[in-house]
Amino acid sequence: MSIYLDHAATTPIHPKVKEAMLPFLENHFGNPSSLHAYGRTVRQAIDHARDQVAASIHADPGQLIFTSGGTEADNLALIGVATAMREKGKDRVITTTVEHHAVLDTCRYLEKIGFQVIYVPVDGHGRVKIEELKRAIDDRTALISVMYGNNEVGTLQPIEEIGKIARERGVWFHTDAVQALGSEPLDVRNLPVDLLSISSHKINGPKGAGALYIGRKVPIQPQMHGGVQERRRRAGTENVIGIVGFGQAAELAMANREEHRDTAQRCREAMLDTWRREGLSFVVNGHPEHYLPHVLNVSFPGAETETLLMNLDLEGIACSSGSACTSGTLEVSHVLKAMGLPNEISRSAIRFSFGWGNTVEQVTEAAKTVARVVRRLTKR
C-alpha cells in the first residue's frame, strides 16, 4: 500500500499540465525576449499562461508578476513594498506569529536592515487577534502581511476584515494565498488585498513557478536586476516551462475547485469518522469552522510525531508534521507553539493533506492503518 497524503507540501503534476509543458522541452526553446519567430512563439505561450493564472484570481494579467515560487513572491511583496515605503517615512511591518517561514524569515531580514516588525498573536485555533492587530497599526506602518489559510493547521484568516482595516488606515495589505489557490474563491476584484502570492506546485503544476499579484497603485522596489522582464519588476529570462505548466494548472484548478473542495471535505470526514468508530483518542488542531478542507492537523496524545511519521512511512503512508528536524532533534512547530497548545498535543501532531488522486476509500484505509500504528505505539 502506498498512499500520498502530503498535498500541502507538494502535488503530483497533472497529465494535462505535463502535456502542455512537453513542447517547450522539445521544439519551442526560444528566448521569449528574442524578436524572431522562435522567441515570439514562446512569448505568446507566456502571455497565454499569464492570462490563465490571472483568471484564477480574477486579476488583470498586467498586474501579475511571475516568480520562482511562493517564497520569492513573498520576498518581493514584503521587501519590495517596505523599502519603497521607507522613502516616505514608513518603516513598520505587521504580520502574525503563524506565517509561513517565507514571510517570517523575510520579516527577520527586514528587522536586520532597520525596520520594525510587529508579530501579532493568534488564538488557540490559530486565528489572528484582530484587536491586537488594530492596536499595532500606527502612522509609520507600511505593510500588513497575513496568510489566507495556514499551511500547517488549515485555519483561514479573516482576510476581508483585515483588508478593510488596512484600507481604512491607509496601509498596504499582502496575503500569502499559496495554500488557498484551488480551494478558496480568490477574487482580487472584491477581496481588499493589494498583493497576493500564489504557487504552481501546490495545484498540480511544476515546481519553480509562482506569481505575485500587485495592485495598480502599490509602490514596489524590484529585488532582482539585470533585465526588463516582468515590466522591470523581476529581471531574468523567464522559466518558460514552469510558467506554461503553471498556466495550465491554474486553469484546471479554477475549473475543478468545487469538486476538489468536496472531495477534500469527504476525505477529511472519512478519516475522522474512521478514528471515531475505532475509538481512537485524537485532537484536531485548527479552527473548527474556518479551515481549508484539504488540510487536517491531528494530535495523538501519548505518541511522538517523529516516531509516528517513521512508522506510517514504513506502512506506505506519506504525511508530514508541522515540525522541522534539526541535527536529529525534533523542534515543535512554531504554529502550534503560537497557538499555545500543550506539549502533549504539539509533540504528537501530524498533518494529513488531501488532493488530486485521493479517494474516500483510500483515505479510509489509511485512517485504519493510522489507528493501528497509534495503538501499537501508545499501547492503548
Side-chain angles (χ1 to χ4, degrees):
M1 178 179 71
S2 180
I3 302 176
Y4 185 75
L5 298 176
D6 200 17
H7 291 262
T10 196
T11 58
I13 289 183
H14 194 284
K16 289 184 178 179
V17 172
K18 178 183 175 183
E19 183 182 345
M21 293 169 64
L22 282 176
F24 299 88
L25 286 168
E26 298 169 345
N27 299 323
H28 302 322
F29 56 83
N31 187 316
S33 295
S34 298
L35 297 179
H36 50 62
Y38 287 88
R40 292 197 306 274
T41 298
V42 174
R43 170 56 56 197
Q44 289 168 2
I46 289 177
D47 289 344
H48 178 58
R50 197 184 307 277
D51 290 342
Q52 291 173 305
V53 176
S56 71
I57 59 172
H58 300 279
D60 183 311
Q63 297 173 286
L64 205 71
I65 301 299
F66 282 123
T67 66
S68 63
T71 295
E72 186 191 337
D74 287 343
N75 272 258
L76 177 56
L78 272 68
I79 302 173
V81 171
T83 52
M85 292 300 290
R86 180 152 61 179
E87 298 173 0
K88 300 179 181 180
K90 295 181 181 290
D91 58 1
R92 173 179 281 201
V93 174
I94 298 171
T95 189
T96 79
T97 52
V98 294
E99 299 299 304
H100 189 280
H101 283 296
V103 167
L104 290 178
D105 288 355
T106 303
C107 284
R108 293 187 185 104
Y109 166 75
L110 288 172
E111 288 180 294
K112 288 179 181 178
I113 61 172
F115 286 89
Q116 180 186 31
V117 180
I118 305 299
Y119 300 90
V120 180
V122 297
D123 62 23
H125 297 308
R127 263 200 150 196
V128 65
K129 294 182 177 180
I130 290 291
E131 291 306 313
E132 296 208 27
L133 184 144
K134 286 180 180 178
R135 285 195 292 271
I137 301 171
D138 66 6
D139 293 338
R140 301 182 68 86
T141 304
L143 177 72
I144 297 171
S145 181
V146 178
M147 70 194 328
Y148 199 107
N150 189 268
N151 56 299
E152 292 191 20
V153 297
T155 297
L156 290 168
Q157 298 294 351
I159 297 301
E160 288 196 23
E161 185 178 0
I162 297 169
K164 288 175 183 176
I165 293 167
R167 292 199 170 169
E168 287 171 1
R169 299 296 299 272
V171 177
W172 301 116
F173 179 38
H174 164 254
T175 186
D176 177 337
V178 166
Q179 285 294 339
L181 183 63
S183 174
E184 303 305 306
L186 303 178
D187 187 342
V188 296
R189 297 170 304 179
N190 303 316
L191 202 61
V193 300
D194 302 299
L195 304 105
L196 182 145
S197 303
I198 49 179
S199 180
S200 165
H201 78 105
K202 302 302 172 94
I203 56 167
N204 306 108
K207 298 170 183 64
L212 176 66
Y213 158 78
I214 306 174
R216 294 195 185 282
K217 297 180 180 180
V218 179
I220 195 160
Q221 289 280 1
Q223 299 304 300
M224 297 179 69
H225 307 277
V228 299
Q229 294 88 354
E230 299 300 303
R231 296 164 183 81
R232 296 184 181 272
R233 288 179 164 181
R234 199 274 187 182
T237 301
E238 297 91 339
N239 172 15
V240 179
I241 299 165
I243 289 171
V244 168
F246 189 9
Q248 184 62 54
E251 186 173 288
L252 289 169
M254 189 176 183
N256 301 323
R257 187 177 66 82
E258 289 301 327
E259 181 183 349
H260 165 75
R261 283 181 58 84
D262 178 66
T263 300
Q265 184 64 36
R266 288 190 293 114
C267 285
R268 179 189 183 96
E269 290 171 358
M271 184 162 263
L272 296 175
D273 286 345
T274 299
W275 292 334
R276 292 185 188 108
R277 287 196 300 272
E278 295 270 346
L280 195 67
S281 176
F282 66 91
V283 176
V284 177
N285 303 313
H287 202 282
E289 297 176 12
H290 305 292
Y291 59 82
L292 295 166
H294 67 285
V295 178
L296 176 61
N297 190 296
V298 185
S299 292
F300 301 96
E304 287 287 334
T305 297
E306 190 174 22
T307 307
L308 278 168
L309 290 175
M310 290 192 303
N311 277 266
L312 290 174
D313 185 38
L314 291 172
E315 295 282 352
I317 297 174
C319 53
S320 66
S321 72
S323 308
C325 281
T326 308
S327 302
T329 60
L330 196 66
E331 185 180 317
V332 174
S333 155
H334 72 281
V335 173
L336 302 182
K337 273 185 181 178
M339 290 165 60
L341 301 183
N343 275 341
E344 187 181 28
I345 300 301
S346 59
R347 293 188 178 278
S348 62
I350 289 184
R351 182 189 68 186
F352 300 92
S353 47
F354 317 109
W356 176 68
N358 289 144
T359 64
V360 168
E361 293 75 22
Q362 187 186 56
V363 170
T364 300
E365 194 61 35
K368 291 177 181 177
T369 301
V370 171
R372 187 173 68 251
V373 167
V374 170
R375 284 205 182 92
R376 185 173 71 237
L377 295 176
T378 60
K379 297 180 173 58
R380 292 177 183 173

